[in-house]
Amino acid sequence: MRRFRFTDPEFTATFAAFVEERRETPHEVDAIVADVLAAVRAEGLAALLRFGREFDGVELDEGSIRVSEAEIAAGVEACPQAVRDAIAFAAERIRSYHARQRPADLRFTDEAGVELGWRWTALDSVGIYVPGGRAAYPSTVLMNAVPAGVAGVERIAMVTPPGRLQPAVLAAAQVAGVTEIWRVGGAQAVAALAYGAGPIRPVDKIVGPGNAFVTAAKRRVYGVVGIDALAGPSEIVVVADGANRPDWIAADLLSQAEHDPAAQAILITDDAAFAAEVEAAVADQLTSLSTGADAAASWRDHGAIVIAPLDEAPGLVDLIAPEHVEFAIDAPERLADRVRHAGAIFLGRHAPEAIGDYVAGSNHVLPTSRAARFSSGLSLYDFLKRTSIVKCDEASFAKLAPATIVLADAEGLPAHARSAAIRMGQG
C-alpha cells in the first residue's frame, strides 16, 4: 500500500505515476486468442468441443453444450428462497432504473420545410458472458440481461464456462429473461457468439466481463459484432473525513480489493489519524475474509492512502477516473458535483459501493482503467440503436439541393452532385 501527502513537493509527479501504472494481469494472450478465434471460425462446434476438453477438462457434445430447460428449472428449485427473493428484488430495481432511461422517438419540421427526426429500435440479439472462475455472479446476469430485456432484445444468449452451474446464476438467468444458456467459456465463447458455432447462432453484440483471454477476444471481434467495453480490474476511491467509522471505510475499500489481486482501492482523507485507523481496520478485516488472499495482494500492491484537503478530492478523483467513488462526508454533493470522470458516484455515509453492485438499480458494469474519462457504464442505450429520418418534399428539396451540389463537386463526387442536380432539371 502506498502513502501520499498532498503537501509533498513531489506529490503531483509521484501520484500521477502511480495512477498510470498498469494493473492488468501480465499474460501474453493475444496470439493464443487469435488462434482460438480462427479455429472456431473455421471449425465451429468441433473447435468448441476440443477447447472444452483442452482448457476445461470437460467432454461435451452438441446436445450437452446447451443447458436444458430441465436443468435450469432444477437449479432454480435448488436456489435458497432467500436468495431467489433477493434476486427478484434486485431485478425489479434494475428494471425500473433502466426503464427510465428509455429515449423518445422524435419527428420535427425545420425552417426549410424538411422533416427530420430519429427513432430507436432494439438490437435483435445479445450475447452475455458470465464468468465462472472465482465465484458465482448472479448479479452479472442481472446487470447485463435485465437492461437488454427492457430495451426489447428478443434473443439473450448467455455463455459461461463449463462446470457446475450455480443455482443462483440459473435463478438470475430465469428472472432476467435469458433465452438460452451455453456451457462454453473463454475466448472460444466469444468466438462462438461472434461467428456462430454449431447450434450457437451469432449475436449482434457481446457484453459482460471476463478474464484477459475474454477481453482480448472481445477486442478482436469488435466490428464483426458490437461489444460493451474492455473490462479491466475493479477499482474504488473513497473520499472520507474523520467523522466516519474506520471499520466502515475499511470494509468499503476491501469490497473491491477482494475481486482480484489486480484490483485497486484508494482512500482520500484530510485526517492522518483517521487514515491510520482505517489502515489498521483493513489489516484486521483481512484476517477474517474468505477472499483475504486476493484482497491482501490488491491492497499491498495497488492500494493507496492519500492525505489531502478534501477540497482537492474532486481533482484527484478526476485524475484517477475510477470505476467507483464514494463521498462519505456530510453534504457530499458539494464535492461530488465537481467530479467529471467516474463510472459511478455514491453519496453519503450510508451509500457503500456494494449497494450499487446489487440492488440500488443502477448498473454495475462500469468503465475501468481510467476509461471513465471517455465512456459510461452499461445502460439501456447499449441495447438500442438510433436511426435518422429525413423527409423532403419538392419545395424543401429545392432549398437544400444547391448547397448539396456545391459540396459534392468540391469533394470530387460527381454522382452525388448529379443525384441532386437531376431532380433540379440540371442533369
Side-chain angles (χ1 to χ4, degrees):
M1 189 271 297
R2 321 279 183 89
R3 297 174 180 81
F4 299 93
R5 284 187 175 271
F6 189 77
T7 55
D8 187 329
E10 301 298 318
F11 173 81
T12 300
T14 56
F15 189 68
F18 169 74
V19 169
E20 292 285 355
E21 288 178 2
R22 294 185 63 83
R23 293 178 288 115
E24 287 82 357
T25 304
H27 288 304
E28 297 296 329
V29 301
D30 199 51
I32 297 172
V33 166
D35 289 342
V36 169
L37 296 182
V40 174
R41 190 170 192 178
E43 304 172 42
L45 179 62
L48 289 188
L49 300 180
R50 184 173 72 252
F51 290 136
R53 290 190 296 270
E54 292 179 7
F55 298 151
D56 300 306
V58 296
E59 193 70 47
L60 298 171
D61 57 29
E62 185 169 356
S64 60
I65 197 170
R66 180 167 184 169
V67 181
S68 69
E69 293 296 328
E71 289 177 277
I72 295 171
V76 171
E77 185 64 27
C79 186
Q81 188 62 51
V83 177
R84 291 163 64 180
D85 290 345
I87 287 171
F89 177 74
E92 184 51 41
R93 294 188 59 82
I94 296 165
R95 190 172 287 113
S96 175
Y97 179 93
H98 289 82
R100 286 175 167 82
Q101 295 177 344
R102 183 173 296 281
D105 295 349
L106 182 69
R107 295 284 286 268
F108 64 94
T109 302
D110 70 9
E111 63 281 356
V114 178
E115 189 173 335
L116 298 166
W118 54 80
R119 61 183 173 88
W120 296 86
T121 54
L123 304 183
D124 288 338
S125 58
V126 169
I128 296 174
Y129 191 95
V130 177
R134 293 179 176 274
Y137 293 109
S139 62
T140 297
V141 181
L142 296 178
M143 292 293 179
N144 287 275
V146 169
V150 172
V153 178
E154 293 185 358
R155 177 178 168 236
I156 304 174
M158 178 177 132
V159 293
T160 192
R164 179 176 179 267
L165 282 170
Q166 295 293 328
V169 169
L170 294 172
Q174 185 183 74
V175 167
V178 171
T179 56
E180 57 199 68
I181 305 175
W182 303 93
R183 291 185 176 88
V184 56
Q188 60 270 31
V190 174
L193 292 173
Y195 306 125
I200 305 177
R201 293 176 289 129
V203 298
D204 296 317
K205 188 168 188 174
I206 300 172
V207 299
N211 62 18
F213 292 91
V214 171
T215 300
K218 286 171 70 176
R219 182 185 289 111
R220 278 187 166 268
V221 300
Y222 176 68
V224 176
V225 293
I227 63 170
D228 52 349
L230 300 173
S234 297
E235 51 206 27
I236 187 172
V237 174
V238 180
V239 179
D241 58 23
N244 287 281
R245 282 182 48 169
D247 57 339
W248 287 18
I249 302 304
D252 293 355
L253 294 167
L254 291 174
S255 72
Q256 293 307 291
E258 71 176 347
H259 271 300
D260 190 294
Q264 184 167 72
I266 298 173
L267 169 65
I268 299 174
T269 183
D270 60 348
D271 189 326
F274 173 71
E277 292 174 333
V278 172
E279 186 176 358
V282 167
D284 179 63
Q285 291 181 26
L286 282 171
T287 63
S288 59
L289 280 179
S290 61
T291 53
D294 285 346
S298 164
W299 182 243
R300 180 190 67 237
D301 296 338
H302 306 294
I305 293 177
V306 182
I307 309 298
L310 291 185
D311 197 53
E312 300 293 339
L316 296 175
V317 170
D318 278 347
L319 178 64
I320 301 164
E323 180 183 15
H324 315 96
V325 57
E326 295 180 11
F327 283 90
I329 57 174
D330 292 332
E333 286 88 351
R334 70 183 177 84
L335 297 182
D337 286 353
R338 292 163 50 196
V339 170
R340 293 174 56 84
H341 308 311
I345 298 174
F346 297 82
L347 301 172
R349 305 184 198 279
H350 288 84
E353 185 280 330
I355 291 291
D357 271 350
Y358 297 109
V359 297
S362 58
N363 208 290
H364 79 195
V365 181
L366 299 166
T368 58
S369 303
R370 305 191 68 225
R373 292 173 297 127
F374 54 80
S375 65
S376 309
L378 196 73
S379 72
L380 193 73
Y381 301 105
D382 285 280
F383 305 102
L384 297 171
K385 48 194 175 57
R386 187 183 64 251
T387 301
S388 298
I389 298 171
V390 179
K391 182 180 181 181
C392 295
D393 59 15
E394 185 175 0
S396 59
F397 166 75
K399 295 177 182 179
L400 271 55
T404 299
I405 295 167
V406 170
L407 290 171
D409 285 339
E411 292 189 348
L413 297 172
H416 281 67
R418 181 176 295 160
S419 74
I422 200 167
R423 287 172 168 80
M424 300 285 288
Q426 300 174 13

